[in-house]
Structures are given as structure tokens and as C-alpha cells.
Amino acid sequence: MEIIKDPCLFQRQCLGWRLQGLATALVPTMGFFHHGHLSLMDFARQNADRVAVSLFVNPTQFGPAEDLAAYPRDLDRDARLAAEHGADILFTPGPEAMYAPGHCTWIEVPDLARGLCGRTRPGHFRGVATVVAKLFMLALPGLAVFGEKDWQQLAIIRRMAKDLNMPVEVVGRPTVREPDGLAMSSRNAYLSPGQRLRAAAIHRGLVDLAVRAAGGETDPAVLLGGLRRYYAENLAEADIEYLEIVDPETLEPLDLIRGPALAAAALRLGPARLIDNISIGV
Ligand code: PAF
């Protein structure tokens, strides 16, 4: 596996693959790999001739009061894991290489970025969409792989790729979980051992909601009321940022579940902001 820092070199290498007729899969990441990232790399390896993994802690998707400086990093370990999971290139640019002085072009998908996480993280999805578009232009992938834990991010990237006719298939892969159900996330590293144990209630509450939906409850208000009570009883120390049931594609809140739906949660537990979701409905 080659480690490349320079965007022009990375683009030249990926263009070379494309000209040879080799299909490239891109796995965009911010590093500090866990099994969720590794499962995306494994999928990419199985579905493309060449695999490029990008590792870039993108400053433009962090708000001024967010954890950019504290975001966990371990390049040596990440490089070893990416190589073990079949990456041909690990692209690790610095911020000044990705955002040259004078950078002023942004991609926004406002209808999908307004709700859910967008409400408390203004500008976050503009940063995500812009950096992912830049990575697509550099890697020229036929396939790009993202985790479904960040469902809103995935919906926005899908919409962006469609609206801008980007010749890339955006694939979402299931959330990888710890044995107790907690969704894997680099930010789980912020939790104390006690918080970590109790954080499993986030997923258990969503499963409980999905069971009630499968049992015939179609009123989001009733389902979300139950979820709020579950968290009050099992995770009282967490601050709930949002609990919503939305259309999985448009992300619009639903007032009745008639078809596919997504229950999504964001909570603050100590220093960590944790999100999770579950598919419900038909
Ligand atoms: O999900 C992430 O790790 C990031 O938001 C992404 C897609 C790599 C863009 O910086």
C-alpha cells in the first residue's frame, strides 16, 4: 500500500487506474479506524479492482466549538489496518493541501441538511459535501462506500452525486456494532468506562421502538414518546438532542408511518455526541 499526501499525485495515480480500465472504490474516512471502517474497506476490496482509502480530518465540517483539535488520531495504526484490509492507497493530505488559500467553492444540499444533525451543526454538511465532492474529483471512483450510521450524511452525498451527475455509485453499508449494540464510532473513545457501558441503551431504545412499530404502532409521536421514556429510565444522564422519525430519503419528519421510515437519535453523553438510527416501517 502506498501512502500519498499530495492531492495531485493521488489524482494522477487514480486517473492512471481509470485509463487502464480498472474500477476504483473510494472509502472516505477521518481515521482512527474501528471495525465499521474496516468493513467498508472489505466491501470496497470485494467490489473493485483498486481501493483508495482517504484519511482526512476535514476542518470545514467542524463547528468552532466542536472537537477538531481533540479528534482522535493514530496514523501508524490506521496505515497498518488499511493495508491489512486491502487498500492500495491511503490518501492522507494536510488541510492546506485540500484547502488552498482563497478556496471559496462550496457544495450545499440545503433541503437534506436542514433537519436532524443540521439543526445543531450549522455548516457541518456543507463541509462534508464539499470535501466528499473534492475526494470524488481526485479519486474518480466508480464506487464510494459510506456507513449507514451517518444516515443523513449518506442521504446528502447520494443526492449530491445524483444532482451533479457524478459518475459514482454511492453505497451505504450497515452500521457495525459492539457486542452490546453500541454503534461503532471514533467518538466512543471519549466515553468513560461507565458511560461506555450505559451508552448501549441508545441502540436498545431504538430496537424497542422498532419492535413496537413492527407490532403495528404507526404514530411517530407515540413511538417517540416511548423512546423518550426509555432513555429517561435507562440513560437519564444523557442530553437528548433529537429523536425523530423521518422519511429515509427526504429526511422529512413523518406524521404517520405508511412505508419505509427511519428512527434517528442524537444524544450527548458526557463529552461525546452520539448518533444512531434504525430502519422501521415496510
Ligand atoms: O464520515 C466521515 O468520516 C466524514 O464525514 C467523511 C465522509 C470522511 C467526510 O469528511
Side-chain angles (χ1 to χ4, degrees):
M1 183 188 76
E2 208 179 335
I3 298 183
I4 301 182
K5 277 178 140 1
D6 176 11
C8 294
L9 220 60
F10 176 54
Q11 191 177 48
R12 205 173 310 145
Q13 179 67 273
C14 296
L15 184 58
W17 290 340
R18 205 173 171 108
L19 292 174
Q20 289 171 60
L22 297 170
T24 301
L26 173 70
V27 183
T29 80
M30 298 206 301
F32 210 65
F33 296 151
H34 50 65
H35 287 289
H37 296 111
L38 304 179
S39 77
L40 304 182
M41 293 177 208
D42 293 342
F43 180 85
R45 184 68 278 166
Q46 285 153 18
N47 288 279
D49 302 312
R50 294 289 180 271
V51 175
V53 175
S54 64
L55 191 173
F56 178 56
V57 183
N58 174 36
T60 67
Q61 69 188 73
F62 287 79
E66 291 184 354
D67 56 343
L68 173 61
Y71 198 82
R73 292 164 166 89
D74 189 342
L75 180 56
D76 291 344
R77 178 176 168 275
D78 283 352
R80 182 175 50 76
L81 289 171
E84 283 171 14
H85 286 264
D88 296 292
I89 293 182
L90 182 65
F91 175 51
T92 61
E96 55 303 317
M98 285 298 275
Y99 295 101
H103 171 99
C104 62
T105 303
W106 299 99
I107 306 242
E108 300 204 50
V109 188
D111 287 4
L112 298 186
R114 205 166 288 125
L116 301 175
C117 296
R119 222 171 282 125
T120 49
R121 304 190 73 192
H124 169 67
F125 290 114
R126 180 178 96 141
V128 169
T130 302
V131 82
V132 171
K134 286 163 77 70
L135 291 167
F136 284 0
M137 298 303 289
L138 293 170
L140 310 169
L143 190 78
V145 196
F146 297 85
E148 288 181 347
K149 180 176 78 70
D150 297 295
W151 187 281
Q152 187 174 16
Q153 165 173 286
L154 178 61
I156 286 172
I157 292 166
R158 280 206 171 109
R159 188 79 242 175
M160 169 187 80
K162 188 162 189 238
D163 288 353
L164 297 181
N165 304 98
M166 294 173 164
V168 54
E169 186 190 346
V170 176
V171 176
R173 298 291 300 158
T175 302
V176 176
R177 300 183 179 280
E178 301 286 356
D180 64 2
L182 178 66
M184 289 198 183
S185 162
S186 305
R187 289 188 167 103
N188 292 349
Y190 298 155
L191 297 170
S192 70
Q195 288 165 341
R196 165 63 197 82
L197 276 179
R198 295 187 293 279
I202 297 174
H203 177 59
R204 281 203 298 269
L206 287 168
V207 171
D208 181 65
L209 179 151
V211 168
R212 284 182 293 122
E217 180 57 68
T218 55
D219 184 344
V222 172
L223 291 167
L224 293 173
L227 182 60
R228 198 167 281 279
R229 277 195 300 281
Y230 185 93
Y231 288 151
E233 283 160 22
N234 295 281
L235 202 57
E237 73 199 277
D239 285 332
I240 295 174
E241 197 175 280
Y242 65 74
L243 306 176
E244 290 200 41
I245 293 179
V246 297
D247 178 293
E249 217 175 298
T250 66
L251 308 183
E252 287 296 326
L254 297 174
D255 46 25
L256 188 67
I257 300 172
R258 294 191 193 87
L262 184 86
L267 300 94
R268 282 187 186 277
L269 188 55
R273 179 180 181 279
L274 303 174
I275 59 172
D276 201 353
N277 62 71
I278 198 162
S279 290
I280 54 175
V282 182

